[in-house]
Amino acid sequence: MWEKARFMNRYYGMQEMYENKQDGEEWNMPKDRDPFYEAPDSKGFLGSAIVFLQPLAYLMDSEETYPIVDFTGEELGELSVQLSPCNSSGKELIGDYVNDPQELIGKNYGFMVKIQTARGLPRRIDKSSCKYRFFDGKEVNTALVSGSSPSYLHEQTFQYKSVSSELADYLLNSNLWITLWGTQRARHSHTQDANRRPSITSTEARRPPRKKKIVKKAKNRDINGESDIKIPRKAKENRETRTNDATIVLKKAKELEEVDLKLAG
């Protein structure tokens, strides 16, 4: 995601390319002017974290972990931020609370913003940094740090010689919007993956696949044509018993046939 100024520059560049194309003019642009080209090391918007400033309105410190949310509302990770009231020399104030933020008006006031670490960022993020602006001050940037759990170790002190009613109201009712910007890891292209694969020669490509020969084992038989496979003893006895029974049945049938012939004669 681009910042507004960057987006508008890209938009006008795209419009110029389109008009040149419609007019039949040369519409290709060099990389430094091409609105569709994005350098690999260019930073893009990752997400934002909203930090509550209300404790500072009562001279109270806070140390919290805030969710980092992208532009679609999906949570990317967490950002650890600490806010600490301090005096003009930068020493933290402990126990000097106020019951009403209006008591700060007209007094010297200072505090420190500490952005410590981010946790759980997606692995696709190579390097990241934070950016924020407090009240009417200038934009503040942290260092660009590598990793999915970067330690920014950022500290920034804000000093006000005389607190205005606008500043007191800002501390009481507003939030600090911290945005995260970063670069992504380069992805390997399919062409590179294809180049890593082993090549196949033309001879191997034309060679048909070999067919597997199926060899059937022939049964071993002896000289008399009988199988030499050993039959279990029990199975052999059962076969002999069935043979004897068949012989007896045939003999009985023959005797009955002879009796029928005698009766018929």
Side-chain angles (χ1 to χ4, degrees):
M1 186 175 179
W2 295 326
E3 294 176 301
K4 182 179 179 180
R6 189 176 179 185
F7 169 77
M8 294 306 297
N9 289 335
R10 297 295 181 108
Y11 170 76
Y12 290 123
M14 295 175 190
Q15 190 175 29
E16 181 183 355
M17 290 181 69
Y18 176 76
E19 291 175 354
N20 291 341
K21 176 69 173 178
Q22 291 296 102
D23 296 340
E25 300 177 2
E26 178 61 33
W27 56 275
N28 284 325
M29 294 184 177
K31 284 186 177 181
D32 58 342
R33 293 187 57 210
D34 190 346
F36 294 99
Y37 175 74
E38 188 73 35
D41 58 347
S42 60
K43 291 196 297 183
F45 175 74
L46 303 178
S48 60
I50 298 177
V51 179
F52 304 110
L53 297 174
Q54 193 174 37
L56 292 177
Y58 296 93
L59 294 182
M60 299 174 63
D61 61 342
S62 67
E63 184 175 1
E64 298 288 343
T65 300
Y66 301 91
I68 302 170
V69 181
D70 65 6
F71 70 97
T72 64
E74 182 179 355
E75 187 172 330
L76 297 181
E78 296 178 334
L79 186 66
S80 179
V81 181
Q82 182 178 353
L83 304 176
S84 301
C86 64
N87 55 23
S88 57
S89 61
K91 184 179 180 180
E92 295 185 14
L93 300 177
I94 301 176
D96 296 338
Y97 309 129
V98 295
N99 295 324
D100 189 350
Q102 296 296 321
E103 298 178 23
L104 299 176
I105 297 176
K107 296 181 180 180
N108 294 337
Y109 183 66
F111 65 92
M112 287 188 294
V113 175
K114 299 180 181 180
I115 302 178
Q116 299 168 340
T117 60
R119 293 179 296 182
L121 296 180
R123 294 185 61 185
R124 60 182 171 84
I125 305 302
D126 184 24
K127 297 180 180 180
S128 62
S129 63
C130 299
K131 184 188 301 185
Y132 65 94
R133 186 193 304 272
F134 180 81
F135 195 44
D136 57 355
K138 296 181 179 180
E139 189 175 73
V140 181
N141 292 273
T142 68
L144 189 65
V145 184
S146 303
S148 57
S149 296
S151 296
Y152 302 113
L153 302 178
H154 168 80
E155 291 187 10
Q156 180 70 29
T157 302
F158 295 87
Q159 292 286 347
Y160 296 90
K161 293 182 179 180
S162 179
V163 176
S164 62
S165 59
E166 291 80 9
L167 177 57
D169 182 71
Y170 179 83
L171 293 173
L172 182 62
N173 300 308
S174 299
N175 303 312
L176 184 64
W177 190 44
I178 301 177
T179 57
L180 271 77
W181 301 79
T183 59
Q184 300 191 35
R185 299 180 187 274
R187 295 182 179 180
H188 297 289
S189 63
H190 296 290
T191 305
Q192 292 176 344
D193 294 338
N195 292 336
R196 294 194 188 100
R197 296 172 184 170
S199 59
I200 301 175
T201 61
S202 58
T203 306
E204 292 175 344
R206 292 194 301 267
R207 184 182 299 167
R210 294 182 178 180
K211 295 183 179 180
K212 294 183 179 180
K213 294 182 179 180
I214 301 175
V215 180
K216 295 183 178 180
K217 294 183 179 180
K219 295 182 179 180
N220 297 328
R221 296 183 178 276
D222 57 11
I223 299 175
N224 298 324
E226 296 182 357
S227 174
D228 60 354
I229 299 175
K230 294 182 179 181
I231 301 174
R233 182 177 180 181
K234 188 173 183 180
K236 189 174 182 180
E237 292 176 353
N238 292 337
R239 188 172 66 176
E240 292 176 353
T241 302
R242 288 195 299 270
T243 303
N244 294 334
D245 292 341
T247 304
I248 294 172
V249 170
L250 291 173
K251 188 176 181 181
K252 291 287 185 181
K254 191 174 182 180
E255 291 177 354
L256 291 173
E257 186 179 358
E258 291 176 354
V259 171
D260 291 338
L261 290 173
K262 289 180 180 180
L263 292 175

